[in-house]
Amino acid sequence: MSDSINIEYTKIAEIKGPLMIVDGITQASFDELVEIETPDGEKRLGRVLEVGHGKAIVQVFEGTTGLAIVGTKAKFIGKTMQMPVSPEVLGRVFDGLGRPNDGLPEPIADKFLDVNGEPMNPEQREYPTSFIQTGVSVIDGMLTLVRGQKLPIFSGSGMPHNILAAQIARQASVVGTKEDFAVVFAAIGVQYSEAQYFKRSLEESGALRRSVLFLNLADDPAIERIITPRVALTVAEYLAFDLGMHVLAILTDMTNYSEALREISAAREEVPGRKGYPGYLYTDLANIYERAGRLKGKNGSVTQVPILSMPADDITHPIPDLTGYITEGQMVLGRDLFRKGIYPSVNVLMSLSRLMKDGIGEGKTRSDHSEVANQLYDAYSRSQEVRALAEIVGRAGLTGIDLKYLDTGDMFENNFLKQNLDENRSLEETLSRAWEILSALPESELTKIKDKHIKQYYRHQNQQQSTNVGVAAAVSSSNAT
Amino acid sequence: MDHLLVRHAEENNKLYEKTELISYLFGLYFILYLTPKVKIPFYRTFVVMSSIVTLEQTIDKVLSESQIEFVNKIDSAYNESLNNLESSRSNILQEYSKIINNAQKQSESIKRQIIGASKISARNKQLLLLESAVNNVFVKSKEKLYVLGKEKGYESMLYRTLEEGVSAIQTRDIIIECNKNDKNLITKIINDFIKKNINYKIAVSDGFFDFIGGIRVRSSDGLMSYDGTMDSKLERVKPIIRKNIAQILRGEE
Amino acid sequence: MVAKGRIIWVSGPAVKADGMSTVKMYETVEVGDSKLVGEVIRLTGDTAFIQVYESTSGLRPGESVTGTGQPLSVLLGPGIIGKIYDGIQRPLGEIAQKSGSYIGRGVHTDPVDMKKKYHFQPLVRKSDSVGSGSVIGSVEETPLLNHSIMVPPDFKNGTIVDVISEGDYDIEQVVATLETSDGKIPLKMYHKWPVRKPRPYTERYDPTVPLITGQRVIDTYFPIAKGGTGAIPGGFGTGKTVTLHQIAKWADSKVVVYIGCGERGNEMTEVLVEFPHLIDPRSNRPLMERTVLVANTSNMPVAAREASIYTGVTLAEYYRDMGLDVVLVADSTSRWAEALREMSGRLEEMPAEEGYPSYLASRLAEFYERAGRVKALGSPNRTGSVTLVGAVSPSGADFTEPVTTHTIRFIKTFWALDTRLAYSRHYPSINWMNSYSGYLEDVSKWWKESVSSEWYDLRAYSYNLLQREDTLKEIVRLLGPESLPDEEKLILEVARMIKIGILQQNSFDKVDTYSSPEKQLKLVKLIVNYHKEAQKALKEGITLADIRTMPIIPSILKAKFEITDEDIAKLDQLDKQMHEQFEKIVNQGVKLIV
Ligand SMILES: Nc1ncnc2c1ncn2[C@@H]1O[C@H](COP(=O)(O)OP(=O)(O)OP(=O)(O)O)[C@@H](O)[C@H]1O
Ligand SMILES: [Mg+2]
């Protein structure tokens, strides 16, 4: 492919949407990078989506506004898009295509890496099993994150997903204050203020110099968003597998990414799948999300926390739906909890961490951890059922045990789920809070917990009760006198 | 009394089996259900309606329950006041340590922030310095190339570039662009080329181009061009040269 | 004649080449300078439409395309078991040795180790006449598996004119020579077979033996038979993969083929990491010694996803032909259907529902038709089976989408996963009202003979309770639980016990992960007995509250993980204790009343 470098074409056959069709092509390859010069001399970048029969379909990242049939030049530069990497990318800010955005020069590259990455050989993966303590009870206790996992946040407009992601980034980095922790943040079509919040949060925790930021903001070109997560993950992979760092990659907002993809698909007049998204959205998203994990013989890891906003809070919308089919679980923020003022408003029942089972337990967290989590899920789920029932039949229509569950639900939301923005709970505290809630239920309800753990951790109410009885006796005796 | 209970239980059972009564029971149940404070499960409705004895029992039970409740209330009030007393003391202590804690947390975070920021800005200054040094080297080497880069190998290099360009754009009607100094050399090379490759129409452009050296091969219709200038070649190897220069400047080599 | 053409067009995994007039449909071709593997899927004039099984990034018009003369085939012979392959049978372990952590392009390696020596035991003698498919010898492939060396099914009947003596040979060794009407043909320990062509057999039998998976809701309520078909549809996170892993781990089959089709890389890694350490309860050997993996993860080239299903099922049929029971699990057939859709879109075919090609249904039917319990070709007499279980990932968990609706037409066991159950952590979230098994009657004979004559009735009794609960729940939803008579409240209670004590099964618990048929039966019996006793007690005038709070209940509910298969007698004790406790409360209660 190297001999096709530096051929410039000026015969533009068609411009539509984000696409430009170049004619009279003698040498061009699929996926090749294209340098475009507008009639005004402005430089842009593009990529070949399809080539053949003397034509090449080029996707223009910065959009086609200002391009013309006459006077536009397209230079095919003979390689796919690459990102220069070196340890100096840490502490830097780039734009959505990976170009410096902080007034500093382009990094002096150790290597140039293809932004598309290559599929990891599953045989070479190391199965992720090491627990990341985030200090957030609901995550550590019930949705444990492990190194190399991809665990998205499904949110809705206006909900505090960025605040939660920032808290995870801050607190997860505090535990391993060692130099081997890094944060890669990719803003994909988000508002300036959101990106700024994240940056400030990293700054305040002193983690900025171990972070790399890629910013494609809401008013930046939409098609650029196709590249933003890719350059970010290229850097993440480099930090993890070349430099041995534990990288937390936060991609926000994947909904904007998918919309950019839809725009291109529509311009290519492809047969649309659900809601107009292309049929290959699953595969395309998988090519991003699967760039997480650990590798045999390498020290580092890439942990992904993609964020996406569910249009109209609908989890069956293609973007959250396909994401859920690819990622290793999801943290779903609930509108009801959010309205109640509970932070983090994680709807645990809809949420899941699939790699949790291997990251917890004896020797990693605590031997009762998984049983406690299972029982908490069960209890909260029962409490929600009862809550719904109580709305119809009233409290009086409920049995005694139902009422207990009802209270358990409230306790769970207020004493376990709810937490401050700067509150960093230890795992012991998280589990202790969990047992406090479970102990409000009769022992016989704890059907998911082994007897030995009940013996060890269950707090019998009778202690409290006996003191109460004592006081009551004292009161009644004083009444008598 | 006991046998009465048994009988009622039996009656109760029998009635269940009679489905035609169910709607009746529902009716009763709803009446009672709607009556404030008398929220009785529907199967008990019948017991209440059918027997005064049971009613009395229920009243007894309600009374005794409210007694317990009463005691409990006193109990909890007492507890609360005790707790209040206790907690107001501990509250003060808590508040106090909270303030201290917060201040500590804040100073920690400010410390981290300052250290982090100063490390970054020091590094960034270094990057900028390095970059300007690299650029300096670049500008100087460009100047040198312009003056003395064109020795023996240059001619054959130009010839190869011409061949590459012609094959890349796949036309026979071609215009060559070069800088002023190279014009004569290029004309010679084109003649050489045409001798070996028949059916080509190659002209040298009249325009001025200020690149260091090399040529640009353009189809005469202007639709395609091949960039074989030294400038573009330099641009392509720039990242590698930058790395080398940086290493030398940093004393890594 | 081998076709040689040039690329004229590239778009993702789809490539067009001209000058290909001699290439055959479904022939594999080498594409471009780096010799990527592709397959011809349409021919128009001398233009071939090719799906490429590797990334086409950097490919350009003008590069060459060369035919191989062969359809897409797999190599069948010893050395397959324990391997992890990509969708076109390239061994990922060996690829890693060549290209490192990432899957490189244009890497060519043999599917099995051609140099490894196996101890060959001839099973025919000179001048024996053998038919196609007949066994001529055997080697020990793994300590768990005797691998029969067979005459390839597409060879003619003939006579053995030469056979090698017992000894250690690599698989390239000619072990016998067969003389047929076509002349003398050397037989090696392996042969090749085109993946899209089902391997022939002599006769098909009805599936009547259950595939025991150790999963209670499957074996007891919705069983699948050896040689049968099943589908497991469900939204994301409902438990398809975990269930398939469970089947791969515990099913009482001889060979397991696990196809990861367009799913997560880590899930394949998990199998690779876990299976070598898991011990097969029947043979006490590591499970990896009977397992082969075909992995085409979601980020690997999409065209190879389509091929992976065929590759897997061909491997399964090969082991079936040895007279073995083989289970194939495919996770997920929806990704395979999506690969079909993507290629169809690039071919600009007229789409049917939701962009899927109109031949989706027939492709699904063809796949599930390759299941079955059969009499193998040739001698000696062998009966083997291929059981096919496919996960389906309906978009938006909507079972009315095309892949689910078409799959339902071709399978007999349907395990419907329910997002609501998964949300409430009822795992496996198989919905007992929407699932069904077409093999229930067929396998009941086996249960009767091998486990207990009570099985059918106990199953029916307990299932009936679940059904009644389902209708009662509607009433509760409107009026609250207190609106029901005690007898019906009891049904709710017992149904809850069935759900917790039997249907819910934690795959990650050491004990709960597998229940033997005997244990399953005893657990069902325990709860059915509880219901019968409780009904009696109610009649005796004991209050429901007393029955509900019997101290035995938590023990019943935890029996599934507190009592191991070895201690199965403890379940009988528990049953006894339960009867005693009932006796006690009934006696006390009656005393109180009288
Ligand atoms: N039998 C089970 N026991 C315990 N946990 C289970 C069981 N089945 C499922 N789970 C839980 O549900 C999670 C999701 O299951 P699984 O990965 O099988 O879903 P899936 O249906 O394959 O989803 P996807 O379509 O996204 O691949 C598991 O990680 C596990 O936590
Ligand atoms: Mg799955």
Side-chain angles (χ1 to χ4, degrees):
Chain A
M1 168 149 130
S2 60
D3 54 342
S4 77
I5 25 179
N6 285 358
I7 303 185
E8 196 173 82
Y9 298 90
T10 53
K11 190 171 178 191
I12 310 299
E14 195 177 340
I15 299 170
K16 57 173 175 181
L19 304 181
M20 173 177 87
I21 299 171
V22 186
D23 208 347
I25 297 283
T26 58
Q27 309 222 345
S29 56
F30 175 64
D31 223 15
E32 183 173 347
L33 192 65
V34 184
E35 277 172 14
I36 299 155
E37 201 181 311
T38 69
D40 300 338
E42 190 193 323
K43 290 252 161 78
R44 294 188 192 172
L45 284 178
R47 184 171 70 156
V48 177
L49 293 181
E50 186 177 319
V51 56
H53 309 297
K55 288 197 175 75
I57 300 181
V58 177
Q59 148 195 325
V60 185
F61 294 124
E62 292 93 336
T64 48
T65 315
L67 292 188
I69 298 283
V70 177
T72 299
K73 295 177 191 159
K75 191 188 239 181
F76 290 66
I77 64 168
K79 56 177 189 187
T80 54
M81 194 159 182
Q82 294 182 325
M83 173 77 196
V85 291
S86 75
E88 256 137 37
V89 295
L90 286 168
R92 298 287 310 268
V93 184
F94 299 93
D95 74 359
L97 290 178
R99 297 171 297 204
N101 196 10
D102 50 6
L104 295 173
E106 176 145 311
I108 291 174
D110 264 359
K111 285 187 176 187
F112 285 84
L113 297 175
D114 185 336
V115 300
N116 292 311
E118 278 183 311
M120 277 187 193
N121 186 335
E123 201 268 344
Q124 285 293 300
R125 279 180 186 264
E126 184 90 56
Y127 194 67
T129 54
S130 32
F131 167 64
I132 301 178
Q133 184 170 322
T134 65
V136 179
S137 281
V138 66
I139 298 177
D140 293 350
M142 303 176 77
L143 298 166
T144 314
L145 185 63
V146 299
R147 286 213 162 117
Q149 184 172 16
K150 38 190 179 289
L151 189 62
I153 300 177
F154 288 7
S155 182
S157 49
M159 289 203 279
H161 43 265
N162 288 319
I163 298 179
L164 180 59
Q167 187 174 11
I168 295 171
R170 271 195 320 266
Q171 297 185 168
S173 59
V174 167
V175 173
T177 316
K178 289 175 236 125
E179 292 294 309
D180 65 353
F181 187 90
V183 176
V184 171
F185 176 77
I188 308 164
V190 301
Q191 287 165 19
Y192 172 78
S193 59
E194 290 184 60
Q196 206 52 29
Y197 173 84
F198 208 89
K199 190 176 169 196
R200 212 170 338 105
S201 151
L202 288 171
E203 217 159 17
E204 281 166 12
S205 65
L208 197 57
R209 71 199 157 89
R210 280 185 281 127
S211 308
V212 193
L213 277 65
F214 293 87
L215 306 181
N216 168 287
L217 301 180
D219 55 355
D220 286 332
I223 303 306
E224 213 177 275
R225 290 169 198 159
I226 303 285
I227 295 299
T228 313
R230 293 189 160 84
V231 276
L233 290 167
T234 303
V235 166
E237 283 171 345
Y238 167 76
L239 295 174
F241 304 125
D242 283 42
L243 305 186
M245 306 181 93
H246 293 295
V247 183
L248 177 67
I250 293 170
L251 314 170
T252 177
D253 175 330
M254 288 304 288
T255 301
N256 297 332
Y257 168 85
S258 310
E259 276 165 4
L261 202 67
R262 175 167 70 177
E263 199 180 325
I264 291 166
S265 172
R268 293 181 74 185
E269 290 166 20
E270 292 168 335
V271 180
R274 282 173 67 219
K275 302 225 160 146
Y277 290 92
Y280 50 80
L281 180 60
Y282 173 83
T283 304
D284 192 277
L285 287 174
N287 277 310
I288 291 173
Y289 297 141
E290 278 287 316
R291 293 173 79 175
R294 309 199 59 166
L295 283 170
K296 279 186 192 166
K298 313 252 169 153
N299 284 328
S301 61
V302 177
T303 308
Q304 265 191 41
V305 177
I307 297 170
L308 57 87
S309 45
M310 299 182 280
D313 289 353
D314 176 11
I315 198 169
T316 67
H317 183 281
I319 299 169
D321 188 49
L322 295 179
T323 298
Y325 273 123
I326 303 163
T327 52
E328 285 141 353
Q330 67 278 343
M331 300 183 257
V332 184
L333 301 190
R335 186 71 64 184
D336 285 349
L337 290 165
F338 173 63
R339 286 207 189 99
K340 274 196 206 167
I342 290 173
Y343 170 88
S345 51
V346 177
N347 179 334
V348 288
L349 299 181
M350 296 175 92
S351 304
L352 171 72
S353 165
R354 299 177 196 229
L355 300 185
M356 173 173 184
K357 62 185 167 62
D358 303 287
I360 62 172
E362 190 110 52
K364 288 170 183 149
T365 56
R366 218 169 75 178
S367 63
D368 59 325
H369 191 160
S370 95
E371 289 163 29
V372 167
N374 283 342
Q375 194 73 58
L376 265 189
Y377 274 120
D378 189 77
Y380 188 60
S381 147
R382 288 272 302 269
S383 80
Q384 295 306 94
E385 275 169 35
V386 175
R387 211 179 258 176
L389 191 61
E391 266 162 32
I392 298 159
V393 302
R395 278 180 85 98
L398 300 176
T399 59
I401 190 71
D402 282 349
L403 290 171
K404 282 229 164 77
Y405 273 107
L406 206 54
D407 296 341
T408 311
D410 294 337
M411 268 175 89
F412 174 82
E413 287 172 6
N414 294 314
N415 301 354
F416 186 86
L417 188 56
K418 197 171 178 174
Q419 163 165 6
N420 286 331
L421 288 188
D422 60 350
E423 193 179 349
N424 192 350
R425 292 189 191 151
S426 70
L427 185 75
E428 279 299 318
E429 181 180 353
T430 291
L431 289 180
S432 153
R433 281 171 184 263
W435 272 107
E436 191 187 333
I437 292 157
L438 295 180
S439 299
L441 288 170
E443 200 182 317
S444 58
E445 287 297 311
L446 308 187
T447 54
K448 308 221 163 182
I449 304 186
K450 298 228 161 95
D451 293 339
K452 63 170 185 191
H453 289 135
I454 292 185
K455 258 192 214 118
Q456 200 174 346
Y457 296 108
Y458 185 76
R459 296 173 210 161
H460 287 274
Q461 306 289 301
N462 39 12
Q463 261 190 330
Q464 265 176 304
Q465 266 162 22
S466 64
T467 53
N468 281 353
V469 170
V471 174
V475 171
S476 55
S477 66
S478 66
N479 269 0
T481 49
Chain B
M1 186 89 167
D2 279 354
H3 64 273
L4 255 180
L5 256 181
V6 174
R7 214 187 62 218
H8 282 296
E10 273 168 6
E11 234 167 300
N12 209 359
N13 273 344
K14 256 185 260 157
L15 273 166
Y16 272 135
E17 282 145 26
K18 296 190 179 167
T19 44
E20 69 265 28
L21 270 172
I22 291 208
S23 57
Y24 167 70
L25 288 170
F26 264 108
L28 282 178
Y29 176 62
F30 272 116
I31 292 166
L32 275 167
Y33 187 84
L34 294 175
T35 321
K37 289 191 182 163
V38 192
K39 295 215 168 169
I40 302 166
F42 121 80
Y43 77 94
R44 290 218 190 112
T45 315
F46 193 80
V47 186
V48 174
M49 299 307 289
S50 69
S51 158
I52 295 165
V53 183
T54 332
L55 186 62
E56 277 173 359
Q57 276 183 337
T58 313
I59 291 168
D60 275 354
K61 200 165 165 247
V62 169
L63 276 180
S64 70
E65 263 170 13
S66 57
Q67 201 179 343
I68 292 170
E69 207 177 325
F70 179 69
V71 173
N72 276 346
K73 266 189 191 148
I74 295 177
D75 186 15
S76 68
Y78 179 77
N79 267 341
E80 213 170 289
S81 56
L82 273 184
N83 278 343
N84 276 348
L85 203 70
E86 187 59 29
S87 66
S88 57
R89 194 180 330 133
S90 65
N91 260 355
I92 294 171
L93 284 175
Q94 264 173 18
E95 281 304 310
Y96 177 73
S97 65
K98 236 191 222 164
I99 292 168
I100 301 241
N101 258 343
N102 274 349
Q104 226 159 25
K105 254 191 205 164
Q106 244 165 25
S107 73
E108 279 286 305
S109 120
I110 290 171
K111 200 170 97 189
R112 272 203 304 267
Q113 213 174 318
I114 291 173
I115 293 176
S118 59
K119 276 192 181 167
I120 284 195
S121 76
R123 200 275 313 262
N124 289 353
K125 271 184 198 138
Q126 200 192 337
L127 286 184
L128 283 172
L129 268 176
L130 192 65
E131 188 65 12
S132 72
V134 167
N135 279 340
N136 242 333
V137 176
F138 246 92
V139 171
K140 287 212 175 109
S141 44
K142 261 192 185 175
E143 279 165 9
K144 274 190 189 157
L145 265 179
Y146 192 78
V147 183
L148 46 92
K150 295 162 187 179
E151 291 163 358
K152 275 181 210 145
Y154 188 57
E155 190 180 327
S156 61
M157 193 271 281
L158 280 182
Y159 189 83
R160 253 184 292 123
T161 311
L162 179 65
E163 276 182 332
E164 269 169 31
V166 167
S167 91
I169 63 174
Q170 294 178 11
T171 29
R172 291 175 176 273
D173 199 351
I174 285 163
I175 294 169
I176 304 291
E177 296 171 350
C178 63
N179 73 21
K180 218 161 57 184
N181 299 346
D182 286 347
K183 224 165 200 170
N184 289 337
L185 188 59
I186 300 290
T187 318
K188 176 178 173 286
I189 284 169
I190 292 175
N191 286 336
D192 288 352
F193 183 85
I194 290 180
K195 259 181 239 157
K196 282 187 211 157
N197 305 275
I198 38 170
N199 270 343
Y200 277 91
K201 196 175 148 229
I202 305 182
V204 180
S205 166
D206 297 332
F208 283 127
F209 301 93
D210 64 346
F211 32 78
I212 314 168
I215 51 171
R216 196 183 286 140
V217 183
R218 207 154 54 76
S219 66
S220 66
D221 58 7
L223 293 181
M224 247 184 274
S225 68
Y226 171 82
D227 194 342
T229 60
M230 283 171 69
D231 306 59
S232 85
K233 284 183 181 166
L234 198 65
E235 205 53 41
R236 265 180 13 236
V237 292
K238 192 171 176 179
I240 299 160
I241 297 175
R242 272 178 85 211
K243 188 181 169 188
N244 291 342
I245 298 173
Q247 274 174 340
I248 292 165
L249 289 176
R250 280 181 182 142
E252 283 172 18
E253 241 180 19
Chain C
M1 203 187 77
V2 168
K4 233 177 161 38
R6 306 234 145 251
I7 297 177
I8 54 170
W9 176 84
V10 188
S11 170
V15 165
K16 272 195 265 185
D18 62 9
M20 301 292 289
S21 52
T22 57
V23 81
K24 292 199 269 317
M25 196 64 177
Y26 293 116
E27 181 172 329
T28 47
V29 291
E30 288 176 345
V31 180
D33 300 340
S34 41
K35 295 197 190 323
L36 308 178
V37 183
E39 186 184 14
V40 176
I41 54 173
R42 185 203 272 177
L43 288 167
T44 325
D46 74 342
T47 303
F49 203 100
I50 298 159
Q51 59 177 356
V52 182
Y53 292 135
E54 300 177 72
S55 163
T56 54
S57 186
L59 205 63
R60 69 158 82 181
E63 289 185 45
S64 67
V65 176
T66 316
T68 63
Q70 297 292 323
L72 186 65
S73 304
V74 287
L75 183 151
L76 301 170
I80 291 170
I81 298 292
K83 280 248 157 43
I84 174 167
Y85 290 117
D86 76 353
I88 50 174
Q89 214 201 7
R90 285 183 301 192
L92 290 174
E94 284 70 11
I95 286 184
Q97 284 169 13
K98 293 198 176 180
S99 70
S101 309
Y102 299 92
I103 299 177
R105 289 189 300 166
V107 186
H108 295 269
T109 38
D110 292 323
V112 298
D113 185 351
M114 306 303 275
K115 300 228 168 63
K116 184 171 175 189
K117 293 224 185 320
Y118 291 93
H119 190 76
F120 179 78
Q121 186 113 39
L123 293 171
V124 287
R125 268 170 302 186
K126 216 167 155 169
S127 74
D128 278 359
S129 67
V130 294
S132 59
S134 293
V135 177
I136 56 167
S138 93
V139 300
E140 188 189 280
E141 184 171 4
T142 72
L144 253 183
L145 194 91
N146 257 331
H147 187 120
S148 302
I149 308 296
M150 297 170 287
V151 178
D154 53 349
F155 282 19
K156 288 185 177 154
N157 297 348
T159 321
I160 298 286
V161 291
D162 194 16
V163 64
I164 209 162
S165 55
E166 183 176 344
D168 295 341
Y169 308 103
D170 64 34
I171 68 169
E172 287 279 18
Q173 173 74 44
V174 174
V175 291
T177 309
L178 183 72
E179 182 156 21
T180 70
S181 53
D182 295 340
K184 286 185 181 174
I185 308 168
L187 299 176
K188 295 181 177 180
M189 281 196 224
Y190 72 91
H191 63 272
K192 292 200 168 181
W193 190 264
V195 295
R196 296 186 193 276
K197 188 172 160 193
R199 285 173 67 86
Y201 47 82
T202 308
E203 196 188 337
R204 238 177 136 114
Y205 299 128
D206 274 342
T208 52
V209 182
L211 180 82
I212 296 300
T213 65
Q215 309 306 300
R216 295 182 291 266
V217 60
I218 294 181
D219 295 349
T220 299
Y221 292 99
F222 309 105
I224 186 166
K226 287 187 174 131
T229 49
I232 178 161
F236 63 82
T238 47
K240 296 179 290 297
T241 305
V242 171
T243 309
L244 294 186
H245 277 192
Q246 288 300 94
I247 292 175
K249 281 176 194 168
W250 308 123
D252 60 342
S253 69
K254 276 285 182 200
V255 173
V256 172
V257 180
Y258 187 106
I259 307 177
C261 175
E263 291 288 310
R264 303 172 184 83
N266 275 333
E267 287 172 353
M268 304 312 296
T269 314
E270 185 180 4
V271 176
L272 281 176
V273 170
E274 206 179 353
F275 277 35
H277 303 290
L278 283 176
I279 301 299
D280 176 22
R282 284 162 284 266
S283 61
N284 279 322
R285 297 287 314 173
L287 283 175
M288 207 60 207
E289 290 178 2
R290 63 164 203 185
T291 310
V292 54
L293 301 175
V294 179
N296 188 267
T297 56
S298 55
N299 56 340
M300 280 157 76
V302 71
R305 219 186 267 174
E306 200 261 342
S308 67
I309 292 280
Y310 295 103
T311 296
V313 76
T314 309
L315 297 179
E317 285 174 342
Y318 175 61
Y319 284 96
R320 170 204 71 189
D321 289 346
M322 297 176 198
L324 304 174
D325 290 320
V326 184
V327 169
L328 179 145
V329 295
D331 189 6
S332 158
T333 57
S334 294
R335 306 300 165 220
W336 168 64
E338 280 166 16
L340 280 183
R341 174 169 71 183
E342 181 163 352
M343 291 319 298
S344 165
R346 307 238 184 211
L347 280 164
E348 295 180 347
E349 291 172 340
M350 186 64 108
E353 309 133 279
E354 291 188 19
Y356 287 102
S358 51
Y359 45 81
L360 172 68
S362 60
R363 292 283 167 88
L364 280 166
E366 278 164 30
F367 168 64
Y368 283 109
E369 246 339 87
R370 289 176 80 166
R373 194 160 151 257
V374 304
K375 180 177 170 191
L377 280 186
S379 58
N381 267 345
R382 289 154 290 151
T383 305
S385 66
V386 172
T387 310
L388 292 184
V389 180
V392 183
S393 316
S395 45
D398 171 11
F399 286 8
T400 62
E401 59 88 46
V403 184
T404 318
T405 49
H406 288 308
T407 301
I408 290 174
R409 294 162 53 200
F410 311 119
I411 47 98
K412 275 185 87 175
T413 311
F414 187 68
W415 297 305
L417 297 181
D418 185 331
T419 311
R420 279 214 325 277
L421 288 176
Y423 284 169
S424 65
R425 263 59 186 180
H426 175 113
Y427 289 127
S429 65
I430 295 176
N431 181 310
W432 52 92
M433 300 311 297
N434 301 340
S435 301
Y436 58 80
S437 165
Y439 301 109
L440 192 58
E441 305 298 327
D442 302 328
V443 302
S444 64
K445 188 160 158 261
W446 179 91
W447 277 90
K448 196 169 167 184
E449 285 165 6
S450 314
V451 185
S452 159
S453 57
E454 296 172 298
W455 179 75
Y456 195 85
D457 291 337
L458 284 172
R459 181 200 174 277
Y461 188 106
S462 54
Y463 190 63
N464 180 259
L465 288 176
L466 290 170
Q467 280 174 316
R468 290 189 58 195
E469 185 231 14
D470 197 58
T471 38
L472 289 177
K473 265 198 328 218
E474 287 306 312
I475 301 177
V476 171
R477 213 162 280 149
L478 291 173
L479 299 168
E482 293 296 348
S483 62
L484 296 178
D486 280 359
E487 207 173 310
E488 293 186 338
K489 275 195 218 151
L490 177 67
I491 291 177
L492 293 187
E493 191 64 20
V494 178
R496 191 179 80 88
M497 288 171 70
I498 297 174
K499 282 187 263 177
I500 297 176
I502 298 169
L503 299 180
Q504 293 182 10
Q505 186 165 4
N506 185 352
S507 308
F508 310 131
D509 183 86
K510 247 197 246 129
V511 177
D512 203 20
T513 184
Y514 176 85
S515 279
S516 66
E518 292 74 22
K519 182 171 167 185
Q520 298 189 27
L521 185 98
K522 282 189 198 298
L523 285 171
V524 176
K525 195 169 169 182
L526 190 61
I527 296 181
V528 166
N529 283 346
Y530 173 87
H531 181 241
K532 289 178 177 165
E533 286 284 354
Q535 265 181 325
K536 263 193 265 166
L538 274 183
K539 290 232 172 70
E540 299 277 354
I542 308 301
T543 65
L544 189 62
D546 284 338
I547 296 172
R548 242 186 207 153
T549 52
M550 277 168 60
I552 192 86
I553 294 177
S555 308
I556 295 177
L557 298 183
K558 292 185 188 186
K560 59 177 184 181
F561 60 75
E562 298 277 12
I563 297 177
T564 63
D565 264 317
E566 288 79 57
D567 293 338
I568 200 159
K570 281 193 184 158
L571 281 171
D572 299 326
Q573 281 168 20
L574 203 59
D575 195 62
K576 216 172 110 207
Q577 279 170 21
M578 179 190 70
H579 285 288
E580 285 165 6
Q581 278 193 19
F582 267 112
E583 227 165 86
K584 208 164 108 196
I585 57 170
V586 168
N587 285 340
Q588 277 172 354
V590 170
K591 239 179 270 156
L592 248 173
I593 293 166
V594 178

